[in-house]
Amino acid sequence: MGFLEVEDLKVHFPIKGGIFNRTVDYIKAVDGVTFSVEQGKTYGLVGESGSGKTTTGRAVIGLNDITSGKVLFEGTDITSKKSKTKNVRKDIQMIFQDPYSSLNPRKRVIDIVAEPLRNYENLSKIEERKRIQELMEMVGLSPESILKYPHEFSGGQRQRIGVARAIALKPKLIIADEPVSALDVSVQAQVLNFMQDIQKELNLTYLFISHDLGIVKHMCDDIAIMYKGRYVEQGTKEDIFNNPQHIYTKRLIAAIPDINPRNRADQFKFRQEVQKEYEHSYDDYFDSEGLAYGLQPISDTHLVALPGKG
Amino acid sequence: MGNELLEIKNLTTSFRIGDEYHAAVDDVTLTLNKNEVLGIVGESGSGKSALAFSIMGLHNRAKIEGSIKLKDQELVKLAPSKMNNLRGDDLAMIFQDPLTALNPLMEIGDQIAEALLLHNLDMSSKQRKARVIELLNMVGIPRPEYVYEQFPHELSGGMRQRVVIAIAIANKPELLIADEPTTALDVTIQAQILDLIRKLKEDIHAGIILITHDLGVVAEMADRVAVMYAGQIVEIADVTTLFENPLHPYTKSLLNSVPAEGQDKLHVIQGIVPSLKNLPRKGCRFAARIPWIDESAHEENPVLHEVSQGHFVRCTCHAHFYFPEESKEEQTNGIS
């Protein structure tokens, strides 16, 4: 039994229309996604905007309703939002993308970080304050700063307050939705290093959602590439970066800017070749609706969306 | 030489906070040649966008000192009406967020035509429409006749940015300023837009100032790079020199904080970018973020030194700089 198992997850949003505002069609934001994550690992979900990666993360934590499919967390079915699952839910927390809008500007840090504690644990005022001061120290902020407001902190510090809130209940799984894309490079480094440190310390598992392949490569053990709500490729970091099979993955990897200016001409040529291949073999990799096919294993760890063999 | 398009000398742009003026761009001197891409790199708050807005004359209440010369024409203190004639004609800008840069209530075609209308009074409306279609074709928008009548919300982010670029190049500007042109876009779209800018450079022979915080984009696009920190240029060099032989501690730190092959821990620059009010005005501005470097290594009044042809570095601290042995205490920093 895996730590987190997602089976054939589908999230469809209805499109309302017509005279009686009936449902006329669905947007298939997530359309049949299956994966499992081991404890202590980082699983990366990559895709362009609109690929369904955020919706997948939000469905796992219960922020989006699941149309069909199953989410199993340590063997417990948490697909439906019944009260039974309440205790499981505190083991799953989320770090949001934008540290400027995910913290309530009118609350002090102590109230922001204490909110999950107040929901789940009955602590006295003194105990609560002590816990929060410990948390602040863990994320590298001074314990005196708990009485400040979010605007008094820099972007990186705010994101660490978001992390403090996420780890307040000692969760096992953290869903990090583009945790650093709103931050400057040097601050990015700070938050990423810190996320790795607390992962070791608390044996955390990350579902790491990002569009930045460089960061995903740095952080993740296993990676899945999403396109239009479906997986196009899944594998270990090495599978994806050293041996990409799907044309979409190849194109995504080719698009990463190269930091060495001497490779400029080569990179440019390589990108054009991949683009040509992409246009040339598009029909081989996508069905008539432009969606990816089902996943076929090509090794023990490596799955690629290829047309079915009969 | 003689190929200079833009010459900025001792430019200082100050904003008023309370009763005092604080310089966001401090004594910047730069030149840009025709057909050249100058990358400007820095974190938020380093003054790179303030510099761009100063060149474009888009600051309303700022105090601008020094000189900005576009082909021998002084732009600082130019009358607003004359500036309006230049803006969108000889100098143009591509903005970061294509959704806010476009008017949501106006058809795409009309928005591009507006740029033509303002600067080419003798163009007939038929000619104008033909030129708009030509521009849409140039920036790689499929079915331009159809897109002409669409509204911004009907286009994807990449398509919108193409429209913004079409507006910017409508009058074949000689100077094009691109302020984080791809930050809001996905990587594959980013690659397409960068290709487009590269192609346009060849077509219209403009000088381009590319402002970005993405070092990969700079490495791919720029001919020369200026690194800005706290309102000053701390290092400027051609692109290969800058990436292969970076000297200033800030440049080195930035390059080290990007995930690279075989790197376990990312370098973290201590402390935070000082806010405009708290900028250190004396001595090396980066000194506070590399406290392990002895004070005597810094110059009292750091200036740009030419270390080799065309490679300038501010302050003398680069000669004494080394990365500290990283430990957790050093990486986490308290509230300043």
Side-chain angles (χ1 to χ4, degrees):
Chain A
M1 182 49 65
F3 177 68
L4 173 72
E5 303 255 350
V6 175
E7 281 169 33
D8 200 27
L9 178 75
K10 287 185 184 168
V11 181
H12 295 180
F13 296 111
I15 305 170
K16 303 273 185 183
I19 188 163
F20 296 114
N21 206 22
R22 280 186 302 204
T23 305
V24 290
D25 202 357
Y26 290 94
I27 291 174
K28 297 176 176 172
V30 182
D31 195 19
V33 159
T34 303
F35 62 93
S36 69
V37 187
E38 281 173 57
Q39 185 153 26
K41 297 270 183 183
T42 304
Y43 186 89
L45 266 183
V46 186
E48 298 185 32
S49 33
S51 61
K53 54 189 194 305
T54 297
T55 310
T56 307
R58 290 173 64 94
V60 169
I61 203 174
L63 288 171
N64 280 129
D65 287 333
I66 295 170
T67 310
S68 75
K70 253 190 198 166
V71 180
L72 299 174
F73 179 73
E74 291 189 308
T76 322
D77 190 340
I78 54 163
T79 316
S80 66
K81 286 190 273 184
K82 300 251 171 67
S83 56
K84 270 190 284 183
T85 63
K86 199 183 170 198
N87 280 328
V88 181
R89 299 230 170 254
K90 77 176 211 192
D91 289 336
I92 310 177
Q93 294 294 325
M94 189 148 180
I95 301 173
F96 294 93
Q97 173 169 7
D98 185 356
Y100 297 91
S101 59
S102 62
L103 303 177
N104 188 337
R106 303 197 170 208
K107 278 185 173 179
R108 291 169 306 171
V109 171
I110 181 168
D111 296 316
I112 291 172
V113 180
E115 197 168 337
L117 292 172
R118 288 174 193 166
N119 283 338
Y120 281 100
E121 284 175 34
N122 238 336
L123 297 176
S124 72
K125 275 259 143 66
I126 299 159
E127 280 171 332
E128 180 185 290
R129 179 174 281 244
K130 215 177 127 225
R131 270 284 281 286
I132 289 163
Q133 284 177 335
E134 280 166 19
L135 283 166
M136 293 307 275
E137 239 165 88
M138 270 187 85
V139 299
L141 297 171
S142 73
E144 296 83 57
S145 59
I146 56 169
L147 294 176
K148 291 189 178 180
Y149 286 90
H151 72 262
E152 296 174 67
F153 296 88
S154 70
Q157 288 167 340
R158 281 188 211 206
Q159 195 59 308
R160 282 186 278 168
I161 296 171
V163 175
R165 176 174 60 186
I167 60 174
L169 290 168
K170 302 198 172 72
K172 293 171 182 162
L173 173 69
I174 288 186
I175 295 169
D177 186 7
E178 308 258 14
V180 294
S181 43
L183 306 172
D184 271 321
V185 259
S186 66
V187 185
Q188 259 181 18
Q190 194 181 41
V191 173
L192 292 178
N193 280 350
F194 169 70
M195 281 179 71
Q196 285 180 328
D197 288 343
I198 58 165
Q199 178 168 36
K200 273 180 225 143
E201 226 165 284
L202 306 173
N203 193 26
L204 287 173
T205 310
Y206 288 128
L207 182 60
F208 196 93
I209 299 166
S210 177
H211 69 275
D212 189 325
L213 284 156
I215 288 169
V216 167
K217 192 178 181 182
H218 180 75
M219 293 292 287
C220 299
D221 304 296
D222 296 303
I223 295 168
I225 314 274
M226 274 187 95
Y227 179 68
K228 290 195 185 165
R230 294 191 186 173
Y231 271 17
V232 297
E233 193 158 356
Q234 178 186 275
T236 63
K237 178 166 68 182
E238 290 74 26
D239 289 338
I240 299 289
F241 281 96
N242 303 340
N243 186 22
Q245 290 296 315
H246 200 279
I247 185 65
Y248 182 76
T249 315
K250 286 185 195 169
R251 186 162 169 253
L252 215 54
I253 291 173
I256 310 174
D258 196 314
I259 196 115
N260 187 348
R262 281 192 200 276
N263 296 343
R264 199 185 280 185
D266 293 343
Q267 181 72 14
F268 186 59
K269 231 169 94 191
F270 173 58
R271 201 171 287 158
Q272 276 188 329
E273 277 165 24
V274 171
Q275 181 64 25
K276 229 182 240 159
E277 196 189 339
Y278 180 77
E279 279 157 21
H280 182 70
S281 59
Y282 185 85
D283 292 338
D284 299 344
Y285 287 98
F286 297 101
D287 63 16
S288 54
E289 288 172 62
L291 299 172
Y293 291 105
L295 291 174
Q296 313 281 343
I298 63 161
S299 79
D300 287 350
T301 53
H302 198 168
L303 299 170
V304 186
L306 295 170
K309 297 162 195 143
Chain B
M1 287 292 139
N3 213 2
E4 270 164 28
L5 175 69
L6 180 76
E7 202 181 351
I8 300 175
K9 263 195 188 147
N10 306 103
L11 178 73
T12 301
T13 302
S14 322
F15 296 102
R16 196 167 148 172
I17 304 173
D19 288 336
E20 283 169 66
Y21 277 97
H22 297 271
V25 177
D26 201 346
D27 199 17
V28 165
T29 299
L30 267 183
T31 55
L32 176 74
N33 297 326
K34 276 179 195 154
N35 236 336
E36 184 183 43
V37 180
L38 173 72
I40 297 183
V41 196
E43 293 176 273
S44 25
S46 60
K48 51 193 197 311
S49 289
L51 172 64
F53 276 55
S54 307
I55 301 170
M56 292 293 292
L58 291 174
H59 286 308
N60 261 341
R61 298 225 173 99
K63 189 168 78 180
I64 299 180
E65 293 153 303
S67 140
I68 304 172
K69 270 188 181 161
L70 181 75
K71 294 184 303 176
D72 296 323
Q73 182 169 26
E74 181 58 56
L75 298 186
V76 175
K77 303 211 171 75
L78 193 66
S81 63
K82 285 192 174 156
M83 195 68 207
N84 280 342
N85 283 335
L86 281 178
R87 205 186 292 128
D89 195 9
D90 281 348
L91 60 154
M93 185 151 172
I94 302 170
F95 293 92
Q96 174 169 2
D97 184 354
L99 189 56
T100 47
L102 294 173
N103 184 341
L105 297 177
M106 207 170 164
E107 285 177 12
I108 297 292
D110 290 344
Q111 303 202 32
I112 303 173
E114 192 182 31
L116 295 168
L117 185 67
L118 290 171
H119 298 284
N120 297 294
L121 294 171
D122 50 349
M123 226 182 202
S124 74
S125 65
K126 222 177 206 168
Q127 282 172 324
R128 217 157 35 227
K129 177 150 189 184
R131 171 77 178 140
V132 171
I133 303 283
E134 187 191 335
L135 282 165
L136 287 171
N137 257 323
M138 248 171 110
V139 295
I141 290 183
R143 294 182 300 153
E145 286 85 4
Y146 179 72
V147 173
Y148 190 100
E149 287 168 14
Q150 282 190 306
F151 289 94
H153 74 265
E154 297 177 87
L155 300 179
S156 67
M159 285 298 148
R160 278 185 213 136
Q161 192 60 299
R162 283 167 201 261
V163 172
V164 172
I165 293 175
I167 295 173
I169 61 165
N171 293 307
K172 297 197 178 129
E174 296 183 58
L175 172 65
L176 187 61
I177 299 177
D179 187 4
E180 308 260 12
T182 57
T183 307
L185 306 173
D186 284 319
V187 265
T188 47
I189 314 289
Q190 164 170 301
Q192 290 167 13
I193 297 287
L194 294 180
D195 272 355
L196 173 66
I197 294 177
R198 210 175 287 146
K199 212 177 96 223
L200 290 173
K201 184 187 116 185
E202 280 154 25
D203 289 354
I204 62 176
H205 300 290
I208 298 177
I209 294 181
L210 177 70
I211 296 169
T212 178
H213 67 273
D214 189 329
L215 292 161
V217 169
V218 169
E220 287 212 354
M221 296 288 293
D223 300 310
R224 276 193 305 140
V225 186
V227 182
M228 281 188 82
Y229 180 77
Q232 293 179 321
I233 290 179
V234 294
E235 185 161 4
I236 184 164
D238 69 86
V239 67
T240 23
T241 312
L242 192 98
F243 278 88
E244 283 173 9
N245 185 25
L247 287 177
H248 196 277
Y250 182 59
T251 317
K252 284 185 174 172
S253 310
L254 269 187
L255 285 169
N256 252 340
S257 53
V258 184
E261 205 73 50
Q263 202 180 5
D264 202 27
K265 270 272 176 248
L266 301 172
H267 175 68
V268 172
I269 306 176
Q270 286 191 29
I272 52 167
V273 180
S275 67
L276 193 50
K277 256 175 139 173
N278 304 324
L279 278 191
R281 295 287 170 193
K282 267 192 192 144
C284 180
R285 295 189 178 182
F286 198 59
R289 309 196 57 186
I290 43 171
W292 64 92
I293 301 296
D294 197 67
E295 256 177 60
S296 63
H298 297 288
E299 260 177 302
E300 205 168 308
N301 239 331
V303 289
L304 284 170
H305 303 275
E306 186 162 17
V307 284
S308 63
Q309 172 106 50
H311 187 177
F312 293 87
V313 187
R314 193 176 291 274
C315 192
T316 46
C317 57
H318 67 84
H320 308 273
F321 179 71
Y322 57 91
F323 284 113
E325 292 264 80
E326 303 219 291
S327 71
K328 203 180 171 215
E329 280 70 39
E330 276 167 336
Q331 278 178 23
T332 53
N333 48 76
I335 309 294
S336 50

